[in-house]
Amino acid sequence: DARLVFGKGHLHIGAIDMTLVRVDDRRNRRLLCRVVARYGTNDTWPDPPTPGDEAGYVVGISNCDRDFRRPPTVKRGDVLVVQARYRAG
């Protein structure tokens, strides 16, 4: 067995969020982690935007939205599924 003690994702423009789900041998699904994209809001056109807060760009990603003082267990044979959601169009 292993314990998940931290989680983070990597997302690009258009991203909404990313999840990590454990599927056990009975096909039960458990959400282990969810991170959310944070978009910049600074649009100072025609001047350059504030570095790190460029409007319309992913400028940060939240930490996992769970309490890791009680980390979830992953067992041998469990399947981990990573899913990223993006806006289309």
Short mmCIF file of all heavy atoms in Angstrom, two decimals, residues 26-52:
data_model
loop_
_atom_site.label_atom_id
_atom_site.label_comp_id
_atom_site.label_asym_id
_atom_site.label_seq_id
_atom_site.Cartn_x
_atom_site.Cartn_y
_atom_site.Cartn_z
N ARG A 26 -13.12 -3.61 -7.30
CA ARG A 26 -14.57 -3.78 -7.44
C ARG A 26 -15.17 -2.66 -8.29
O ARG A 26 -16.38 -2.47 -8.32
CB ARG A 26 -15.23 -3.81 -6.06
CG ARG A 26 -14.83 -5.05 -5.26
CD ARG A 26 -15.50 -5.03 -3.93
NE ARG A 26 -15.18 -3.79 -3.24
CZ ARG A 26 -14.72 -3.70 -2.01
NH1 ARG A 26 -14.54 -4.77 -1.30
NH2 ARG A 26 -14.45 -2.53 -1.46
N ARG A 27 -14.31 -1.89 -8.93
CA ARG A 27 -14.69 -0.78 -9.79
C ARG A 27 -15.34 0.39 -9.05
O ARG A 27 -16.07 1.17 -9.64
CB ARG A 27 -15.57 -1.25 -10.94
CG ARG A 27 -14.85 -2.22 -11.84
CD ARG A 27 -15.63 -2.51 -13.06
NE ARG A 27 -14.90 -3.51 -13.85
CZ ARG A 27 -15.18 -3.79 -15.07
NH1 ARG A 27 -16.17 -3.19 -15.68
NH2 ARG A 27 -14.49 -4.70 -15.72
N ASN A 28 -15.10 0.46 -7.76
CA ASN A 28 -15.54 1.63 -7.00
C ASN A 28 -14.60 2.78 -7.31
O ASN A 28 -13.39 2.59 -7.35
CB ASN A 28 -15.52 1.33 -5.49
CG ASN A 28 -16.53 0.28 -5.11
OD1 ASN A 28 -17.66 0.30 -5.59
ND2 ASN A 28 -16.12 -0.65 -4.27
N ARG A 29 -15.16 3.97 -7.49
CA ARG A 29 -14.36 5.14 -7.82
C ARG A 29 -14.31 6.07 -6.61
O ARG A 29 -15.34 6.30 -5.97
CB ARG A 29 -14.97 5.87 -9.01
CG ARG A 29 -15.01 5.03 -10.27
CD ARG A 29 -15.78 5.70 -11.39
NE ARG A 29 -15.16 6.93 -11.82
CZ ARG A 29 -14.24 7.02 -12.78
NH1 ARG A 29 -13.83 5.95 -13.39
NH2 ARG A 29 -13.73 8.19 -13.11
N ARG A 30 -13.11 6.60 -6.33
CA ARG A 30 -12.96 7.55 -5.23
C ARG A 30 -12.08 8.71 -5.70
O ARG A 30 -10.96 8.50 -6.16
CB ARG A 30 -12.31 6.88 -4.03
CG ARG A 30 -12.13 7.84 -2.88
CD ARG A 30 -11.55 7.18 -1.67
NE ARG A 30 -11.31 8.18 -0.63
CZ ARG A 30 -10.44 8.03 0.33
NH1 ARG A 30 -9.74 6.93 0.43
NH2 ARG A 30 -10.27 8.99 1.21
N LEU A 31 -12.60 9.91 -5.55
CA LEU A 31 -11.83 11.09 -5.91
C LEU A 31 -10.71 11.28 -4.89
O LEU A 31 -10.95 11.37 -3.70
CB LEU A 31 -12.73 12.33 -5.92
CG LEU A 31 -12.05 13.66 -6.23
CD1 LEU A 31 -11.52 13.67 -7.66
CD2 LEU A 31 -13.01 14.81 -6.00
N LEU A 32 -9.47 11.32 -5.38
CA LEU A 32 -8.31 11.51 -4.51
C LEU A 32 -7.84 12.95 -4.49
O LEU A 32 -7.31 13.42 -3.50
CB LEU A 32 -7.15 10.61 -4.96
CG LEU A 32 -7.41 9.11 -4.94
CD1 LEU A 32 -6.19 8.37 -5.45
CD2 LEU A 32 -7.81 8.64 -3.56
N CYS A 33 -8.02 13.64 -5.63
CA CYS A 33 -7.47 14.98 -5.73
C CYS A 33 -8.16 15.73 -6.86
O CYS A 33 -8.49 15.15 -7.89
CB CYS A 33 -5.97 14.88 -6.01
SG CYS A 33 -5.14 16.44 -6.26
N ARG A 34 -8.36 17.03 -6.66
CA ARG A 34 -8.87 17.91 -7.72
C ARG A 34 -8.13 19.23 -7.62
O ARG A 34 -8.04 19.81 -6.53
CB ARG A 34 -10.36 18.15 -7.56
CG ARG A 34 -10.92 19.11 -8.61
CD ARG A 34 -12.45 19.24 -8.47
NE ARG A 34 -12.96 20.23 -9.40
CZ ARG A 34 -13.28 21.48 -9.06
NH1 ARG A 34 -13.18 21.89 -7.82
NH2 ARG A 34 -13.75 22.31 -9.98
N VAL A 35 -7.59 19.68 -8.75
CA VAL A 35 -6.94 20.98 -8.81
C VAL A 35 -7.67 21.83 -9.84
O VAL A 35 -8.25 21.31 -10.79
CB VAL A 35 -5.43 20.87 -9.16
CG1 VAL A 35 -4.68 20.14 -8.07
CG2 VAL A 35 -5.21 20.22 -10.50
N VAL A 36 -7.66 23.15 -9.64
CA VAL A 36 -8.42 24.07 -10.49
C VAL A 36 -7.46 25.12 -11.07
O VAL A 36 -6.61 25.65 -10.36
CB VAL A 36 -9.52 24.77 -9.66
CG1 VAL A 36 -10.29 25.78 -10.51
CG2 VAL A 36 -10.46 23.75 -9.06
N ALA A 37 -7.63 25.40 -12.37
CA ALA A 37 -6.82 26.42 -13.04
C ALA A 37 -7.23 27.80 -12.56
O ALA A 37 -8.41 28.08 -12.38
CB ALA A 37 -6.98 26.32 -14.55
N ARG A 38 -6.24 28.68 -12.36
CA ARG A 38 -6.50 30.08 -12.01
C ARG A 38 -6.00 30.94 -13.16
O ARG A 38 -4.87 30.78 -13.62
CB ARG A 38 -5.78 30.46 -10.72
CG ARG A 38 -6.07 31.88 -10.28
CD ARG A 38 -5.53 32.19 -8.90
NE ARG A 38 -4.14 31.85 -8.73
CZ ARG A 38 -3.11 32.65 -9.06
NH1 ARG A 38 -3.33 33.83 -9.59
NH2 ARG A 38 -1.88 32.26 -8.84
N TYR A 39 -6.85 31.83 -13.64
CA TYR A 39 -6.53 32.67 -14.80
C TYR A 39 -6.19 34.08 -14.36
O TYR A 39 -6.76 34.61 -13.40
CB TYR A 39 -7.72 32.70 -15.77
CG TYR A 39 -7.83 31.43 -16.57
CD1 TYR A 39 -8.48 30.33 -16.05
CD2 TYR A 39 -7.23 31.33 -17.82
CE1 TYR A 39 -8.55 29.15 -16.77
CE2 TYR A 39 -7.30 30.16 -18.55
CZ TYR A 39 -7.95 29.07 -18.01
OH TYR A 39 -8.00 27.91 -18.72
N GLY A 40 -5.24 34.68 -15.08
CA GLY A 40 -4.85 36.06 -14.83
C GLY A 40 -5.97 37.01 -15.23
O GLY A 40 -6.81 36.70 -16.08
N THR A 41 -5.96 38.19 -14.63
CA THR A 41 -7.02 39.16 -14.89
C THR A 41 -6.48 40.52 -15.32
O THR A 41 -7.24 41.42 -15.67
CB THR A 41 -7.87 39.38 -13.62
OG1 THR A 41 -7.02 39.82 -12.56
CG2 THR A 41 -8.58 38.10 -13.21
N ASN A 42 -5.16 40.70 -15.30
CA ASN A 42 -4.57 42.00 -15.58
C ASN A 42 -4.46 42.23 -17.08
O ASN A 42 -3.68 41.57 -17.76
CB ASN A 42 -3.20 42.09 -14.91
CG ASN A 42 -2.64 43.50 -14.97
OD1 ASN A 42 -2.68 44.14 -16.00
ND2 ASN A 42 -2.11 43.96 -13.86
N ASP A 43 -5.23 43.15 -17.58
CA ASP A 43 -5.19 43.52 -19.00
C ASP A 43 -4.91 45.01 -19.08
O ASP A 43 -5.82 45.83 -19.02
CB ASP A 43 -6.52 43.17 -19.67
CG ASP A 43 -6.49 43.41 -21.16
OD1 ASP A 43 -5.40 43.71 -21.70
OD2 ASP A 43 -7.54 43.31 -21.78
N THR A 44 -3.66 45.36 -19.20
CA THR A 44 -3.26 46.77 -19.19
C THR A 44 -2.91 47.27 -20.58
O THR A 44 -2.11 48.19 -20.73
CB THR A 44 -2.06 46.97 -18.25
OG1 THR A 44 -0.99 46.13 -18.70
CG2 THR A 44 -2.43 46.64 -16.82
N TRP A 45 -3.48 46.68 -21.61
CA TRP A 45 -3.16 47.07 -22.99
C TRP A 45 -3.30 48.57 -23.15
O TRP A 45 -4.24 49.15 -22.63
CB TRP A 45 -4.11 46.34 -23.95
CG TRP A 45 -3.69 46.49 -25.36
CD1 TRP A 45 -2.81 45.72 -26.04
CD2 TRP A 45 -4.14 47.49 -26.26
NE1 TRP A 45 -2.67 46.18 -27.30
CE2 TRP A 45 -3.47 47.27 -27.48
CE3 TRP A 45 -5.01 48.57 -26.17
CZ2 TRP A 45 -3.66 48.07 -28.59
CZ3 TRP A 45 -5.19 49.37 -27.27
CH2 TRP A 45 -4.52 49.11 -28.47
N PRO A 46 -2.40 49.24 -23.82
CA PRO A 46 -1.28 48.72 -24.62
C PRO A 46 -0.01 48.50 -23.83
O PRO A 46 0.99 48.04 -24.38
CB PRO A 46 -1.05 49.81 -25.67
CG PRO A 46 -1.40 51.07 -24.94
CD PRO A 46 -2.53 50.69 -23.99
N ASP A 47 0.00 48.80 -22.54
CA ASP A 47 1.20 48.55 -21.73
C ASP A 47 1.31 47.06 -21.43
O ASP A 47 0.30 46.35 -21.41
CB ASP A 47 1.13 49.33 -20.42
CG ASP A 47 1.07 50.84 -20.65
OD1 ASP A 47 1.78 51.30 -21.58
OD2 ASP A 47 0.32 51.52 -19.95
N PRO A 48 2.51 46.60 -21.15
CA PRO A 48 2.67 45.17 -20.80
C PRO A 48 1.90 44.85 -19.53
O PRO A 48 1.82 45.68 -18.62
CB PRO A 48 4.17 45.02 -20.58
CG PRO A 48 4.80 46.21 -21.21
CD PRO A 48 3.77 47.30 -21.19
N PRO A 49 1.30 43.65 -19.45
CA PRO A 49 0.57 43.26 -18.23
C PRO A 49 1.54 43.00 -17.08
O PRO A 49 2.74 42.84 -17.27
CB PRO A 49 -0.14 41.97 -18.64
CG PRO A 49 0.70 41.42 -19.74
CD PRO A 49 1.28 42.60 -20.46
N THR A 50 0.99 42.98 -15.89
CA THR A 50 1.78 42.65 -14.72
C THR A 50 2.28 41.22 -14.86
O THR A 50 1.48 40.31 -15.09
CB THR A 50 0.92 42.77 -13.45
OG1 THR A 50 0.38 44.09 -13.39
CG2 THR A 50 1.73 42.46 -12.20
N PRO A 51 3.59 40.98 -14.74
CA PRO A 51 4.11 39.61 -14.86
C PRO A 51 3.43 38.68 -13.86
O PRO A 51 3.26 39.02 -12.69
CB PRO A 51 5.60 39.76 -14.55
CG PRO A 51 5.91 41.19 -14.87
CD PRO A 51 4.66 41.95 -14.53
N GLY A 52 3.01 37.52 -14.33
CA GLY A 52 2.36 36.54 -13.47
C GLY A 52 0.87 36.73 -13.33
O GLY A 52 0.22 35.95 -12.64
#
